[in-house]
Amino acid sequence: MIFVVFDNTYHIGTFCTPFGQSFNCTDQLLAWPDASLATTDSQFEGITYNSINDTYFVAQETIQTEMKEVFRANIFEIRIILTDSTPIRVLESCIVNWDFPTDNKGIEGLEFVTHQGSGHSYLLGLCEAYDCNPKSTSNNNARILRSIIYYNKIISALCSWEPVGTLAIPSAVHFDDYSSLSIYHRKANELPAYVAVTSQQMSQVWVGMIEEINQAPFFSLSSLNNNTIYDLPRTHAATSECGMKYCNIEGVAWQDGSELILVSDKAKNDQDTQCREKEQSIHYFFCRKICQTKK
């Protein structure tokens, strides 16, 4: 079973993987506990599991702040109990202390990692735009915003995620946008681990490694030996999207060491027909070649 978030609703989807369908698994939508938000756009863009507390973090791409033209992401920590009458319980809602100048260029992907050497845990938030700033045009400034939770000691009811550093995606990865990321731990919570980052506009997946280091920024990203960037399947027809079929990839998750699960957004009005065939869907890809590249 996998959990899927949507940017136009606060409901969280639970969907059965092909393997799980043989165990009486049922696809369903879980209602957010605050019923007043039922018809509101959530701006959800990522969900990740906190294995330490058995909870989930859910990221809102941005929310409006009191400052004009300043937006910040927000992180919910929730517990999901499928057998409960209220399956989603919101434990906390904490702002990310990082300014974005627009409401649609914030955090696109989310992961939870633990630094084994120090014992500290972090959230990795993937920025959609270059250098976390949509006005930047540099080809090499894609960033993963890494934040550590911080509780305000003056007003204990408030909390925030404070940025403590950025991780640069290798310069060989020239994506026009960055839509999601996922980490596959070969052993529970241990690094090094595989990392997958997707591009919606280029319909590609980069697979690399994330490793732990003993000095700031405490983690490093590196490409595999062959700078592994994969095109998602194309058509042979000449189209304005260069034959792309998976035109709106918004999420990625490792199912295990040999399978990637991708989710796609709704097709845009000006996109070709083949883009609509794969819209709003869950896609499964086997990746044996990826996971045998480096041990």
Side-chain angles (χ1 to χ4, degrees):
M1 176 181 293
I2 60 172
F3 294 109
V4 177
V5 294
F6 312 92
D7 61 6
N8 64 346
T9 179
Y10 275 81
H11 288 79
I12 293 179
T14 64
F15 296 99
C16 307
T17 63
F19 180 77
Q21 289 173 354
S22 61
F23 291 90
N24 297 320
C25 178
T26 302
D27 297 339
Q28 57 183 314
L29 288 176
L30 306 179
W32 197 256
D34 185 350
S36 68
L37 300 174
T39 59
T40 305
D41 289 350
S42 67
Q43 302 300 324
F44 288 164
E45 289 290 345
I47 183 171
T48 188
Y49 180 59
N50 175 358
S51 58
I52 296 176
N53 296 330
D54 191 26
T55 59
Y56 292 85
F57 293 110
V58 178
Q60 290 178 292
E61 180 173 12
T62 59
I63 60 174
Q64 180 69 61
T65 68
E66 296 179 353
M67 296 173 284
K68 185 178 180 180
E69 297 183 353
V70 173
F71 302 85
R72 290 181 177 175
N74 188 65
I75 307 294
F76 289 103
E77 185 172 10
I78 65 174
R79 178 163 282 119
I80 299 177
I81 304 175
L82 295 176
T83 57
D84 200 280
S85 58
T86 305
I88 298 176
R89 299 179 184 179
V90 178
L91 306 179
E92 204 159 37
S93 175
C94 304
I95 204 77
V96 175
N97 192 15
W98 184 284
D99 294 344
F100 296 101
T102 65
D103 63 353
N104 65 345
K105 295 294 182 183
I107 287 181
E108 282 288 309
L110 199 66
E111 266 291 357
F112 178 80
V113 294
T114 298
H115 190 278
Q116 299 293 326
S118 65
H120 295 307
S121 296
Y122 300 88
L123 280 181
L124 303 184
L126 178 69
C127 295
E128 177 177 2
Y130 291 117
D131 211 17
C132 300
N133 183 345
K135 296 180 181 179
S136 172
T137 58
S138 170
N139 286 332
N140 299 330
N141 282 343
R143 291 290 185 267
I144 292 181
L145 170 65
R146 183 164 52 81
S147 306
I148 184 170
I149 197 165
Y150 163 76
Y151 289 93
N152 189 309
K153 295 181 180 179
I154 299 175
I155 305 175
S156 60
L158 296 180
C159 61
S160 66
W161 287 89
E162 298 294 326
V164 294
T166 57
L167 304 179
I169 295 175
S171 59
V173 184
H174 296 288
F175 286 166
D176 291 338
D177 73 320
Y178 299 80
S179 61
S180 189
L181 84 157
S182 179
I183 293 175
Y184 172 67
H185 297 276
R186 289 170 288 181
K187 295 182 179 179
N189 294 326
E190 291 188 9
L191 300 178
Y194 292 113
V195 58
V197 175
T198 56
S199 169
Q200 179 179 130
Q201 293 183 25
M202 302 182 75
S203 190
Q204 292 179 322
V205 181
W206 169 70
V207 175
M209 298 291 291
I210 180 170
E211 301 180 75
E212 180 178 311
I213 56 179
N214 294 324
Q215 57 187 9
F218 306 114
F219 300 97
S220 67
L221 294 172
S222 60
S223 293
L224 301 180
N225 294 334
N226 55 352
N227 288 325
T228 311
I229 298 176
Y230 291 92
D231 288 335
L232 296 178
R234 262 68 167 163
T235 68
H236 296 294
T239 67
S240 59
E241 278 86 13
C242 299
M244 291 190 299
K245 296 191 296 183
Y246 299 85
C247 311
N248 300 282
I249 296 300
E250 278 283 294
V252 61
W254 291 93
Q255 172 70 6
D256 53 35
S258 62
E259 185 177 353
L260 282 175
I261 300 175
L262 305 179
V263 295
S264 56
D265 202 354
K266 184 178 180 179
K268 301 173 179 62
N269 293 333
D270 59 351
Q271 288 182 316
D272 289 335
T273 303
Q274 80 277 358
C275 292
R276 302 182 189 281
E277 294 175 356
K278 302 295 184 181
E279 69 171 353
Q280 300 183 106
S281 302
I282 299 175
H283 318 283
Y284 297 85
F285 291 91
F286 289 100
C287 54
R288 292 187 181 92
K289 291 183 179 179
I290 296 175
C291 302
Q292 292 174 357
T293 303
K294 182 178 180 181
K295 296 295 185 182

